[in-house]
Amino acid sequence: MDLRQLRYFASVAREGSFSRASEKLRIAQPALSRHIQSLEYEIGADLLVRTPRGVEVTEAGRLLKEKAEYVLGYVADIKSSVSQLSAEPSGDVVLGISPTLASTFALRLIVETKQRYPKINLRVVEGLSVMLYDWLQDARIDIALGTDFGPVPGVEHREVGEDEIVFVGVPELLSRYADRKAIPMHDILNFPLVLTQGFSQLITPHLAQEGIEPIYEMEISSTPIVREIVLRGRHCSVIASGFVKADVDEGRLCMLAFEGKRIRRRIVTSVSNTHYISPAVKAVDSVIRDEIAGSNMFVSQAAPALT
């Protein structure tokens, strides 16, 4: 029995599916099945039972899952626990960041972290917020910067700011609103719309309250692609103000709030509450807060830093 087998088993047991576990672990499903079979042979007991809905853990499997997660968490904490003996934060930190924040902050965070904490090796990966929370749970990243979608088991959120959700388009397309800072919500029906699925989910309940049923010409998973489509001048979108601030400042896009309603999303740093938080992770968290506070792109910085 080795740590890799335990990690593979814990992932299958947690996901309830070999296919989902293989995707998260980035291992071929047949190879994953062989590892689990080898583990069952070594232990001498069935650990998983296949069902039409996926897989279920046996009684022996439940006990092993509990012990495996404890062992994996303990091993993951060894390096971080030892590194705290150093007066200066050091070690590897993997930061996951959502696409709407990556374009503005990723490079700044890397540069500032290196200047303030030269012994920290910060690696940045990009992913949708829902993906970032899965990665935190699987210990694939150490800290995340993204959007708060509500409580997530095993994940702790701390607010760093609020980003306003706005209506954007090229100035020519929104010329009738040139002297205004807001748009009536029902007016967006007059424009061809392209949104990401995330912003569609965010804005749709607010539209429903106004009795508005919008028709989106396109829903795309990539916010940068949505921005490029809007810049071409034929579509408008609903997006985070911070993501298009530079375009607005330079006159490429026009940004309008929603009349009578300020729609905001919470920007948070997130960590696993089941793993040890190293001084290096806390240091990166402090850099994130300072950079966001100094950017003047967000409404507020509310929660205290990691302690």
Side-chain angles (χ1 to χ4, degrees):
M1 182 188 308
D2 58 36
L3 291 175
R4 181 175 58 177
Q5 287 177 318
L6 290 179
R7 183 164 65 90
Y8 288 174
F9 167 73
S11 181
V12 175
R14 186 165 51 245
E15 295 297 326
S17 164
F18 274 94
S19 60
R20 287 196 298 270
S22 68
E23 290 178 3
K24 288 198 170 186
L25 293 168
R26 296 183 179 179
I27 178 177
Q29 187 170 332
L32 178 60
S33 296
R34 288 195 296 272
H35 280 288
I36 300 302
Q37 290 170 358
S38 176
L39 183 61
E40 289 178 323
Y41 177 80
E42 184 174 350
I43 290 177
D46 291 333
L47 301 173
L48 300 168
V49 176
R50 293 182 182 271
T51 72
R53 297 182 302 275
V55 295
E56 296 179 358
V57 293
T58 64
E59 192 65 32
R62 279 191 288 272
L63 178 60
L64 180 61
K65 178 177 179 291
E66 178 181 340
K67 293 184 178 297
E69 290 180 337
Y70 173 80
V71 170
L72 292 170
Y74 183 82
V75 170
D77 289 344
I78 290 177
K79 183 177 180 180
S80 297
S81 299
V82 173
S83 69
Q84 71 177 325
L85 298 177
S86 172
E88 183 177 357
S90 62
D92 296 331
V93 175
V94 182
L95 165 67
I97 186 168
S98 66
T100 53
L101 298 170
S103 62
T104 303
F105 289 104
L107 180 58
R108 292 165 58 174
L109 293 174
I110 293 172
V111 172
E112 186 63 21
T113 299
K114 181 56 66 176
Q115 290 179 345
R116 288 169 55 175
Y117 302 102
K119 293 185 179 180
I120 293 178
N121 177 35
L122 179 63
R123 184 164 64 90
V124 176
V125 296
E126 185 178 325
L128 300 176
S129 292
V130 65
M131 296 168 57
L132 299 182
Y133 301 146
D134 285 342
W135 294 348
L136 280 173
Q137 292 171 320
D138 293 342
R140 291 169 58 186
I141 62 175
D142 301 299
I143 184 170
L145 174 61
T147 306
D148 181 9
F149 285 108
V152 178
V155 174
E156 176 184 351
H157 302 306
R158 289 172 179 263
E159 183 177 349
V160 293
E162 289 184 341
D163 203 6
E164 185 162 8
I165 306 305
V166 294
F167 190 71
V168 297
V170 296
E172 295 80 7
L173 200 57
L174 297 178
S175 59
R176 75 184 77 170
Y177 301 94
D179 298 326
R180 300 169 62 176
K181 294 184 178 180
I183 183 172
M185 190 165 283
H186 58 78
D187 280 14
I188 73 172
L189 297 178
N190 298 326
F191 301 93
L193 301 176
V194 53
L195 273 75
T196 65
Q197 287 90 343
F199 283 109
S200 172
Q201 292 173 3
L202 192 153
I203 192 66
T204 296
H206 295 281
L207 296 173
Q209 291 176 6
E210 304 292 327
I212 301 171
E213 296 184 10
I215 298 175
Y216 305 130
E217 286 198 6
M218 289 181 280
E219 286 192 31
I220 300 172
S221 61
S222 169
T223 307
I225 292 177
V226 167
R227 171 183 168 273
E228 290 299 324
I229 292 173
V230 173
L231 283 170
R232 293 187 178 187
R234 297 182 58 188
H235 294 79
C236 292
S237 187
V238 175
I239 208 164
S241 60
F243 185 68
V244 293
K245 184 177 185 300
D247 295 310
V248 174
D249 290 345
E250 295 175 15
R252 291 189 294 269
L253 290 178
C254 175
M255 178 172 70
L256 297 167
F258 288 102
E259 194 172 279
K261 177 177 294 190
R262 306 305 285 254
I263 303 174
R264 295 171 178 169
R265 61 172 187 168
R266 295 178 69 231
I267 306 301
V268 295
T269 57
S270 305
V271 294
S272 168
N273 59 21
T274 60
H275 294 88
Y276 170 75
I277 307 302
S278 72
V281 172
K282 295 175 183 178
V284 170
D285 178 74
S286 71
V287 172
I288 292 172
R289 291 172 179 281
D290 291 346
E291 286 299 303
I292 286 183
S295 71
N296 296 319
M297 292 170 55
F298 298 95
V299 177
S300 67
Q301 292 76 38
L306 292 171
T307 56

